[in-house]
């Protein structure tokens, strides 16, 4: 730069000797000033690039778990934790214990950079009433979305334990190693859960899991890219487990890697379950299964107005076992060469208006077995491999499928 300035002076002296007019001299000065500005900009850019090369990397973002937990704890019952429109790094569990009428509201993103030990949900609700989530994004930090890893499959987005009156609305949960929403565990039974207009995607396991809950409604929203099952009703064996009243309606369901889109499985009681008005765009189709451990029976199971855009990758679209009170109506599910509905010991069946409107072995048995609350036994011989494929058990030496939950 200094050399050019000296050269400018010499250039002007030589030029002015030959050119005496003011117009010519001003033209030279203008050209010199323009070139000088170009050189100055280049020099500034070079210096900035050098500073960037030699500057230390920015410090990693600070974990805000403790700060957010303190904010939640300091908000009185009946209040709202209003989170700003930014990303909060949370590599722990935000715990809402024994609270009443508390709202967590965005727009904000709760983001984890790790999944922890595999048993670390982003939010855990315990023994509370009327807890609401609104306009919130949760990113669980799982780096293999859509891949089921059994070692870390309990890192959920929102885990609901012993809490009544939970609402999750207009929110997004993604990249969790477990489920977007997990409802109930043993005696910590959830009640009256509403999940509305949730965008749930990229989980390692399920979309919504109903395990120990009285009354869960999942309506609207989009669900895609699961390592296992989008909607899973799976009461485990043991005291406290069971599902009474579940409705999955109005959602769009995309790609899943598990054996079915809609499962009712597990050793515990599961009654009054409805899947309705669902659009399934998954390549594997709208596959549904009800698997019942003998001597237990299911009751009040409904599939209606389900549309699949692709043929199922299994011969039969819906297969139901040991159920009293089954409704399968007005579904459009192209299947893989089998039937719309395959039955095994089903009573009180309402069936019609489906495309295709075909069924197999759905005549009621001569005698119906009474419903029982027993939680022991094995899957019947017609379904043992399916029961195991749904992740609910493993085959023992006799060929029966025993629960592993």
């Amino acid at each position: 730069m200094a050399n050019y300035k000296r050269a400018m002076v010499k250039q002007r002296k030589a030029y002015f000797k030959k050119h005496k007019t003011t117009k010519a001299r001003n033209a030279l000065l203008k050209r010199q000033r323009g070139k000088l500005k170009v050189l100055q900009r280049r020099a500034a850019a070079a210096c900035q690039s050098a500073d960037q090369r030699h500057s230390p990397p920015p410090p990693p973002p600070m974990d805000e778990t403790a700060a957010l937990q303190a904010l939640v704890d300091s908000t009185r019952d009946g209040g709202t934790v209003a989170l700003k429109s930014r990303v909060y790094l949370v590599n722990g569990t935000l715990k809402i214990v024994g609270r009443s009428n508390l709202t967590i509201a965005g727009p904000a993103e709760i983001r984890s950079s790790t999944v922890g030990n595999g048993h670390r949900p982003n939010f855990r609700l315990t023994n509370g009433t009327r807890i609401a989530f609104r306009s919130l994004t949760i990113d669980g930090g799982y780096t293999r979305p859509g891949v089921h890893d059994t070692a870390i499959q309990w890192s959920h987005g929102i885990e609901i334990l012993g809490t009544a009156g939970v609402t999750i609305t207009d929110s997004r949960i993604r990249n969790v190693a477990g489920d977007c929403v997990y409802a109930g565990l043993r005696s910590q039974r959830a009640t009256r859960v509403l999940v509305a207009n949730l965008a749930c995607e990229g989980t390692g396991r399920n979309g919504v899991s109903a395990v120990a809950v009285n009354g869960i409604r999942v309506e609207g929203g989009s669900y895609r890219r699961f390592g296992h099952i989008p909607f899973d009703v799976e009461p485990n064996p043991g005291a406290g487990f069971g599902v009474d009243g579940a409705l999955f309606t109005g959602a769009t369901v995309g790609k899943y890697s598990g054996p079915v889109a809609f499962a009712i499985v597990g050793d515990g009681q599961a009654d009054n379950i409805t899947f309705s008005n669902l659009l399934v765009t998954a390549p594997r189709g709208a596959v549904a299964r009800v698997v019942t451990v003998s001597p237990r029976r299911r009751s009040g199971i409904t599939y209606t107005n389900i549309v699949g855009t692709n043929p199922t990758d299994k011969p039969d679209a819906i297969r139901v076992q040991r159920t009293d009170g089954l409704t399968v109506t007005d579904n459009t599910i192209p299947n893989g060469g089998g039937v719309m509905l395959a039955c095994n010991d089903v009573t009180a069946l309402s069936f019609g208006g489906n495309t295709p409107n075909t069924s197999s072995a759905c005549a009621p048995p001569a005698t119906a077995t009474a419903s029982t609350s027993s939680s022991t036994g094995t899957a019947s011989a017609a379904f043992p491999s399916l029961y195991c494929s749904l992740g609910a058990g493993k085959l023992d030496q006799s060929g029966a499928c025993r629960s592993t939950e």
Side-chain angles (χ1 to χ4, degrees):
M1 189 72 66
N3 291 337
Y4 179 68
K5 289 181 178 180
R6 287 192 292 270
M8 287 173 59
V9 175
K10 294 180 180 179
Q11 185 184 27
R12 281 197 298 269
K13 288 180 179 179
Y15 188 84
F16 288 172
K17 287 181 180 179
K18 295 181 180 180
H19 302 82
K20 304 298 183 180
T21 65
T22 301
K23 182 178 180 180
R25 292 182 176 185
N26 286 340
L28 174 65
L29 294 174
K30 185 177 180 180
R31 290 194 299 273
Q32 287 184 330
R33 285 194 296 268
K35 187 172 183 180
L36 181 61
K37 288 181 180 180
V38 171
L39 292 174
Q40 288 172 335
R41 285 196 296 269
R42 290 177 180 174
C47 290
Q48 184 178 12
S49 177
D51 290 342
Q52 291 174 345
R53 287 196 301 269
H54 298 292
S55 297
M62 294 183 62
D63 189 330
E64 299 178 86
T65 304
L68 281 183
Q69 186 67 62
L71 178 60
V72 170
D73 294 343
S74 65
T75 303
R76 295 181 178 181
D77 287 349
T80 297
V81 180
L83 301 177
K84 297 179 180 179
S85 180
R86 69 174 182 88
V87 175
Y88 296 83
L89 178 65
V90 177
N91 279 331
T93 295
L94 294 173
K95 302 172 183 178
I96 302 176
V97 181
R99 303 300 303 273
S100 178
N101 198 22
L102 183 70
T103 298
I104 311 296
E109 179 175 335
I110 305 299
R111 181 185 297 174
S112 300
S113 59
T114 70
V115 297
N117 63 1
H119 289 263
R120 191 196 70 194
N122 294 94
F123 283 90
R124 176 179 288 133
L125 317 183
T126 307
N127 300 334
T129 58
R130 300 189 303 281
I131 307 298
F133 294 86
R134 185 177 69 241
S135 303
L136 197 67
T137 296
I138 298 172
D139 189 313
Y142 186 48
T143 57
R144 295 189 296 157
V147 177
H148 188 198
D149 186 339
T150 57
I152 54 175
Q153 64 179 340
W154 300 280
S155 290
H156 309 305
I158 298 176
E159 183 177 84
I160 305 168
L161 307 178
T163 300
V166 177
T167 61
I168 303 166
T169 58
D170 302 319
S171 295
R172 183 180 187 186
I173 302 177
R174 65 190 180 201
N175 303 332
V176 293
D179 312 333
C180 284
V181 178
Y182 182 90
L185 182 67
R186 299 186 182 89
S187 61
Q188 293 179 301
R189 204 172 179 95
T191 57
R192 304 190 310 279
V193 176
L194 170 64
V195 181
N197 300 321
L198 176 67
C200 168
E201 59 183 297
T203 75
R205 196 172 72 166
N206 302 331
V208 176
S209 289
V211 178
V213 56
N214 290 345
I216 180 170
R217 180 184 179 99
V218 179
E219 63 179 34
S222 61
Y223 295 79
R224 65 188 183 92
R225 203 178 178 193
F226 300 107
H228 204 42
I229 298 169
F231 296 148
D232 183 31
V233 177
E234 188 172 345
N236 300 328
F241 287 108
V243 178
D244 187 2
L247 172 64
F248 302 87
T249 185
T252 299
V253 178
K255 182 179 180 181
Y256 60 91
S257 299
V260 301
F262 313 125
I264 302 175
V265 69
D267 292 20
Q269 162 258 350
D271 300 317
N272 305 311
I273 315 297
T274 295
F275 299 90
S276 71
N277 300 299
L278 299 167
L279 174 63
V280 181
T281 62
R284 306 188 74 168
V287 182
R289 296 291 186 264
V290 177
V291 180
T292 311
V293 174
S294 178
R296 181 177 295 283
R297 300 187 69 82
R298 315 284 191 203
S299 66
I301 309 300
T302 297
Y303 301 92
T304 185
N305 287 301
I306 299 173
V307 175
T309 60
N310 296 302
T312 61
D313 65 348
K314 296 176 175 60
D316 306 319
I318 302 170
R319 298 187 74 184
V320 178
Q321 176 193 23
R322 298 181 58 80
T323 295
D324 303 314
L326 172 66
T327 299
V328 179
T329 57
D330 303 316
N331 301 290
T332 302
I333 306 175
N335 58 56
V339 295
M340 173 65 74
L341 173 64
C343 300
N344 184 311
D345 192 0
V346 171
T347 69
L349 171 64
S350 175
F351 180 81
N354 303 286
T355 305
N357 200 50
T358 54
S359 64
S360 173
C362 291
T367 58
T369 305
S371 180
T372 175
S373 61
S374 172
S375 62
T376 61
T378 63
S380 75
F383 283 81
S385 61
L386 171 64
Y387 184 68
C388 288
S389 73
L390 287 173
K394 63 181 180 179
L395 294 173
D396 62 16
Q397 292 180 350
S398 68
C401 189
R402 299 284 181 178
S403 173
T404 60
E405 295 291 339

